[in-house]
């Protein structure tokens, strides 16, 4: 049963629900009971809070109680007023607990309002008051002057409040009498009535019976049980993105968070706060403003949250002392294990191991994670237990684990090496490390650790380093790999040939995976020379081919071609199939990305069916990179074919990095061709997997710009001053596109001088690269920026250089952009008729690609010029602009559509005024209020909205205020949620903005 399903069921039981009886109180509605179970930190209270925020729950008479370990309870509504001192806490009758009510200081003790088991919601943080009905106070034992039991207090509360909605949290703490009272209520529930009862299943006095005994529920009562499951990776990514920023949370980081936290919400939030604080401290010490991305290693090194550590250590300490080693064994193994393995590592024999495991399970120190496998509910808890083990005990446990694993076939060398290392047997674990392969995350980590051990003989160090380095670009690597390899290549004792190969892999890793292009180029140049001198031309050719790739910034096209020619010569000398395939693929990439038609013939000749895995990986690289080039050229059908083939071959050849390259290309293609539905989600998904997915980030910036979310544009574009510094972190064609987006953002904000400066810098940068076909998404905005500040000669020079660079090139997208540039020049020169014709010609070119967003912008330009011409052109121009609004709205380009609507309103005759004294929209938003609210929801300021809609900032301010009042929200921040919800409602046919 989904969470939304039981929410709907609960709400249908309350007054005011759709489809219910009319006045008179909901006769005929089914009373509803929802039992919510979950261990500590799973988010039970968060769900209760969410339920209480729903409109029907706000309007209903309700009672919210939280039972405490004493057997008493607290009357506390997280959305209601603060509990009254001396009357909110009712003591229980358990042994050792007095029966009197709490004194004046007891009301708040142990019951901080708004603190939930799971993720703390913004409403909790703000402690917003509830608009629901008044709650009757709990009986004030101190005022009455008598002792009352929890049962008596609860009975009185139920009688006095007669709740339609009852919420009882932490039912596992309730005493027998209170449980009996609740059972009686549920045997004969009133109508209407809904109840939500939460509890921890492992702490129920009677397993499976949250109310202490079976209840004779009536047939008319709908009773359901909802078990909270751990967060999956998608939801972990969402929580991490909220606390740390989505762009800082790559896939490997999110996966490690999910694995170590077990998906338990409270543990996850505690861990994220620790990571955030630790990163802030390190950045402050280093004088940085903030790291780009978190890593899996950060999760491993940050430690164990206090709340989790205390819980698991307390549960372990509660076990009889002879049984505790089974928990220690689970901590040392650090992965779910069978009962026999746990007993062997703990040193138990026979029934002792079984008895110890049962005790650990009953005490919730360990859990059955899957059938026949036992470990910690939260894997990170193992670290808390492990950290408290005395050294000799820990080493003995590791020795037993290593001995147990050594008897298995095949020998699990990575696991044995870890245990020998933990047991202090350095020689043994380094010997085991030589058996490791480099395609396993744990093995990679152990190899990195082994290479950092001092005193290793050069031969052994070289062997281990080559094992780690080979395939570094295409395989699985931790973030420490580059650091370790950099230390290795500086070792003068290392054989030159080995050092050259390791340097090659390091350069490729820095270049392709880490986007540290300048460092990567330096290592690749060094590797090319070392490998040539060492007589290894095949590997030298691979280094040279990487330096020939025009995608990477820093080198001009002429330099790329020079390296390509050297690579081809070296590959020919070597006779190596993979080297020759790599250089053939590289030539196809260079030609495709310069718009040379010969590229298509070379791509067809790449040996897709090679038996050599390394050669197939080079073909996959060629297909994915030529597909990217084809997308930038505007050959989308043929690009799709190459992309499909390249991604499939990359997967078949074991090159996941190339798969991600292909997916990034597909995202940019989707942006160009108008496949915007779900595009933002696809982009953020790729960013989550690969924090350096620059193409996905730039597409997110372009989407945000079209929607008017200008703050998000800044967030997603490369940081720094474009393009010379900031765009050294992304591929050259992506950098050119990002530079165009940056210039357009400045123009939209009316920062025209800054836009012109950025345009001059970006155009000079692209000129140094020398690949003019990549100017398709840059050139029009460069010309626009120069024209807006009156530098028409500069604009004309840009157009002339662009046209010359495209001579003889097969580049439909750039050709359409050149037509756009001509239209902008004509409009700036005060020639609307010529500009209108050129905008239409450019629009036809974009329609043929197809690039629907660019085509719509051309329709806007043509329509704008038609309005300037006046006369017979006006009606046709209005039609163009009206159609343009429809196209932009369908795409989701909120800001663009609003701008075009404002242009239409500016040229249309004023609409007849309403008769005085009759409001036009009452409590519904007017179209103008909805338009302003939608732009405000994206984060635009009043001044920016005013510039877009041709209004005064004061008028915008009034529209925003009226929209907020009609939506029933108190802050501008709430507009984002409410406008989104209204838009979704409009999609379903409901009333909306």
């Amino acid at each position: 049963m989904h969470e939304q399903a039981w929410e709907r069921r609960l709400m249908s039981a309350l007054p005011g629900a759709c489809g219910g009886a009319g006045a008179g109180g909901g006769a005929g509605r089914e009373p509803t009971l929802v039992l919510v179970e979950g261990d500590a930190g799973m988010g039970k209270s968060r769900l209760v809070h969410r339920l209480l925020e729903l409109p029907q729950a706000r309007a209903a008479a309700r009672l919210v109680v939280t039972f405490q370990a004493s057997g008493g309870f607290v009357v506390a509504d997280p959305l209601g007023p603060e509990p009254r001192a001396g009357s909110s806490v009712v003591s229980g009758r358990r042994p050792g607990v007095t029966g009197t009510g709490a004194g004046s200081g007891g009301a708040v003790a142990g019951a901080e309002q708004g603190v939930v088991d799971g993720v703390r919601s913004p409403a909790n943080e703000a402690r917003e008051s509830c608009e629901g009905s008044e709650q009757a106070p709990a009986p004030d034992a101190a005022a009455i002057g008598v002792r009352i039991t929890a049962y008596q207090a609860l009975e009185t509360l139920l009688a006095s409040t007669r709740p339609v909605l009852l919420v009882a949290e932490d039912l596992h703490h309730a005493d027998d009498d209170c449980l009996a009272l609740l059972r009686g209520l549920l045997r004969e529930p009133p109508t209407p009535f809904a109840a939500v009862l939460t509890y921890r299943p492992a702490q129920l006095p009677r397993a499976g019976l949250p109310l202490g005994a079976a209840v004779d529920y009536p047939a008319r009562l709908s009773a359901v049980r909802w078990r909270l499951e751990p967060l999956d990776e998608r939801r972990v990514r969402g929580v991490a993105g909220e606390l740390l920023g989505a762009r800082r949370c790559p896939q490997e980081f999110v996966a490690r968070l999910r694995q170590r936290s077990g998906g338990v919400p409270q543990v996850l939030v505690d861990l994220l706060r620790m990571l955030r604080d630790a990163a802030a401290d390190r950045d402050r010490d280093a004088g940085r403003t903030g790291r780009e991305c978190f890593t899996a290693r950060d999760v491993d090194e940050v430690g164990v949250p206090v709340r989790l550590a205390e819980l698991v250590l307390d549960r372990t300490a509660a076990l009889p002392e002879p049984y505790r080693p089974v928990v220690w064994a689970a901590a040392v193994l650090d992965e779910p294990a069978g009962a026999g393995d746990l007993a062997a590592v703990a040193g138990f024999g026979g029934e002792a191991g079984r008895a110890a495991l049962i005790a650990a399970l009953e005490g919730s120190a360990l859990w059955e994670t899957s059938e026949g496998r036992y470990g910690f509910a939260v894997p990170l808890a193992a670290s808390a237990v492990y950290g408290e083990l005395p050294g000799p005990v820990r080493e003995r446990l590791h020795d037993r684990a290593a001995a147990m694993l050594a008897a298995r076939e095949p020998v699990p060398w990575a696991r044995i090496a870890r245990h020998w290392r933990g047991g202090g047997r350095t020689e043994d674990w380094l010997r085991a490390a030589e058996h490791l392969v480099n395609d396993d995350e744990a093995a990679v980590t152990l190899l990195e650790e082994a290479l950092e051990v001092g005193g290793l003989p050069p031969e052994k160090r070289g062997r281990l380093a080559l094992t780690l380095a080979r395939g570094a670009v295409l395989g699985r690597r931790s973030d420490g790999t580059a650091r370790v390899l950099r230390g290795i290549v500086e070792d003068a004792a290392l054989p030159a040939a080995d050092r050259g190969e390791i340097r090659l892999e390091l350069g490729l890793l820095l270049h392709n995976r880490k986007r540290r292009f300048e460092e990567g180029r330096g290592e690749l140049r060094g590797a090319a020379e070392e490998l040539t001198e060492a007589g290894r031309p095949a590997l030298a050719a691979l280094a040279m081919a990487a330096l020939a790739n025009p995608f990477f910034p820093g080198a001009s096209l002429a330099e790329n071609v020079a390296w390509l020619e050297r690579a081809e010569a070296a590959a020919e000398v070597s006779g190596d199939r993979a080297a020759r395939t790599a250089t053939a693929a590289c030539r196809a990439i260079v030609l495709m990305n310069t718009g040379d038609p010969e590229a298509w013939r070379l791509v067809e000749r790449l040996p897709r069916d090679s038996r050599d895995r390394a050669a197939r990986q080079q073909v996959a690289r060629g297909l994915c990179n030529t597909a990217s080039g084809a997308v930038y050229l505007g050959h989308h059908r043929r690009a799709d074919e190459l992309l499909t083939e390249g991604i499939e071959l990359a997967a078949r050849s074991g090159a996941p990095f190339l798969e991600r390259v292909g997916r990034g290309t597909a995202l940019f293609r989707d942006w160009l061709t108008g496949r915007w539905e779900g595009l933002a989600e696809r982009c953020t998904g790729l960013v989550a997997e690969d924090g350096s997915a620059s193409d996905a980030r730039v597409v997110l910036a372009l989407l945000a710009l079209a929607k008017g979310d200008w703050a998000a544009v800044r967030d997603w574009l490369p940081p720094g001053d474009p393009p010379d510094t900031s765009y050294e972190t992304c591929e050259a064609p992506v950098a050119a596109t990002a530079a165009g987006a940056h210039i357009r953002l400045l123009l939209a904000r009316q920062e025209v001088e800054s836009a012109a400066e950025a345009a001059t810098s970006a155009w000079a940068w692209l000129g140094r690269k020398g690949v003019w076909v990549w100017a398709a998404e840059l050139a029009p905005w460069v010309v626009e920026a120069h024209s807006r500040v009156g530098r028409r000669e500069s604009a004309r020079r840009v157009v002339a250089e662009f046209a010359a660079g495209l001579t003889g090139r097969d580049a439909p997208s750039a050709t359409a952009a050149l037509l756009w540039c001509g239209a902008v020049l004509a409009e700036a020169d005060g020639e609307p008729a010529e500009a209108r014709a050129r905008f239409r010609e450019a629009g036809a070119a974009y329609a043929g690609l197809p690039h629907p967003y660019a085509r719509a912008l051309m329709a806007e330009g043509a329509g704008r010029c038609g309005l300037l011409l006046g006369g017979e052109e006006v009606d046709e121009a209005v039609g163009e602009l009206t159609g343009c609004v429809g196209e932009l709205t369908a795409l989701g380009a909120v800001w663009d559509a609003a701008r075009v609507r404002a242009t239409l309103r500016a040229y249309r005759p004023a609409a007849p005024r309403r008769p005085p004294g009759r409001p036009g929209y009452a409590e519904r938003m007017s179209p103008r209020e909805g338009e302003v609210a939608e732009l405000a929801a994206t984060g635009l300021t009043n001044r920016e909205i005013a510039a877009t809609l041709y209004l005064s900032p004061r008028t915008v301010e009034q529209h925003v205020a009226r929209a907020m009042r009609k939506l029933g929200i108190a802050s501008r921040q709430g507009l984002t949620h409410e406008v989104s919800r209204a838009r979704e409602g409009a999609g379903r046919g409901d009333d909306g903005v």
Side-chain angles (χ1 to χ4, degrees), residues 650-921:
R652 189 157 46 89
S653 304
F657 165 70
L658 292 174
E659 288 183 75
R660 289 195 292 273
V661 168
R663 287 165 57 199
T665 297
L667 294 173
F668 186 61
R669 173 207 62 198
D670 290 349
W671 154 261
L672 290 172
T673 57
R675 305 175 202 178
W676 290 16
E677 184 70 31
L679 180 56
E681 290 74 18
R682 297 196 296 278
C683 287
T684 52
L686 185 57
V687 170
E689 290 182 38
D690 180 2
S692 58
S694 53
D695 34 20
R697 290 174 179 275
V698 171
V699 170
L700 284 166
L702 292 167
L703 287 170
L705 185 53
K707 295 174 187 296
D709 190 353
W710 294 348
V713 179
R714 289 283 194 189
D715 288 342
W716 288 116
L717 286 178
D721 297 322
D724 292 320
T725 57
S726 63
Y727 300 150
E728 278 294 306
T729 60
C730 58
E731 299 83 347
V734 179
T737 302
H742 175 69
I743 295 166
R744 191 184 181 201
L745 175 63
L746 293 173
L747 290 170
R749 287 183 159 169
Q750 308 300 314
E751 300 173 23
V752 292
E753 289 293 342
S754 296
E757 291 176 12
T760 299
S761 174
W763 197 251
W765 169 83
L766 186 62
R768 290 192 295 273
K769 184 66 186 178
V771 184
W772 296 105
V773 298
W774 290 340
E777 300 299 312
L778 171 63
W781 303 115
V782 170
V783 174
E784 177 80 25
H786 285 312
S787 299
R788 290 273 288 274
V789 296
R791 301 175 190 169
R792 293 182 192 166
E793 285 305 314
S794 297
R796 289 189 180 90
R797 281 197 300 272
V798 167
V799 174
E801 287 177 343
F802 191 21
L806 297 183
T807 302
R809 302 296 172 184
D810 178 20
S813 185
T815 300
L818 181 61
L819 293 170
W820 182 353
C821 291
V824 172
L825 270 181
E827 187 176 14
D829 287 340
E831 300 175 4
E834 182 181 350
R836 178 168 169 78
R838 293 192 179 186
F839 274 123
R840 284 178 161 179
E841 187 180 2
Y846 280 122
L849 290 173
H851 289 184
Y853 179 61
R855 201 217 71 78
L857 295 182
M858 297 306 96
E860 178 190 6
R864 185 175 61 242
C865 292
L867 293 177
L868 289 173
L869 288 169
E872 297 178 355
E873 299 285 340
V874 170
D875 288 343
E876 190 174 0
V878 167
E880 285 177 307
L881 291 172
T882 302
C884 176
V885 169
E887 292 174 19
L888 292 169
T889 301
L891 283 170
V894 174
W895 173 62
D896 293 293
R899 184 186 60 253
V900 179
R901 281 196 295 266
T903 300
L904 279 168
R905 279 194 297 268
Y907 281 89
R908 279 175 172 168
R913 297 181 60 85
R914 290 195 310 267
R918 182 173 59 86
Y921 293 96

Side-chain angles (χ1 to χ4, degrees), residues 499-533:
R499 184 167 56 250
E501 184 176 355
I502 295 168
R503 196 184 297 279
L504 166 62
E505 296 291 354
L506 172 61
L508 291 171
L509 182 63
L510 292 170
H511 219 244
N512 294 10
R513 293 286 295 275
K514 301 303 178 186
R515 297 302 191 265
R516 286 149 59 179
F517 294 114
E518 185 59 39
E519 292 178 63
R521 279 196 304 275
E523 298 296 347
L524 288 170
R525 284 193 292 264
E529 301 307 325
E530 287 175 341
L531 291 166
T532 299
E533 292 172 6

Side-chain angles (χ1 to χ4, degrees), residues 549 551 581-590 592-593 599-610 614-632 635-653 655 657-666 669:
N549 193 326
F551 276 126
T581 302
T583 55
C586 193
R587 175 151 302 268
I589 292 167
V590 170
M592 184 69 76
N593 281 278
W600 298 105
R601 185 182 64 81
L602 296 183
V603 170
E604 288 303 315
R605 292 170 56 184
L606 292 176
R608 293 150 171 83
D609 56 352
S610 173
R616 290 200 307 274
Q617 289 177 340
Q618 293 297 339
V619 173
R621 179 178 64 87
L623 292 172
C624 289
N625 285 350
T626 53
S628 179
V631 166
Y632 279 96
H635 291 297
H636 297 303
R637 181 186 59 77
R638 299 174 80 175
D640 286 349
E641 295 170 358
L642 293 176
L643 200 54
T644 300
E645 195 176 8
I647 291 175
E648 186 278 330
L649 186 57
R652 189 157 46 89
S653 304
F657 165 70
L658 292 174
E659 288 183 75
R660 289 195 292 273
V661 168
R663 287 165 57 199
T665 297
R669 173 207 62 198

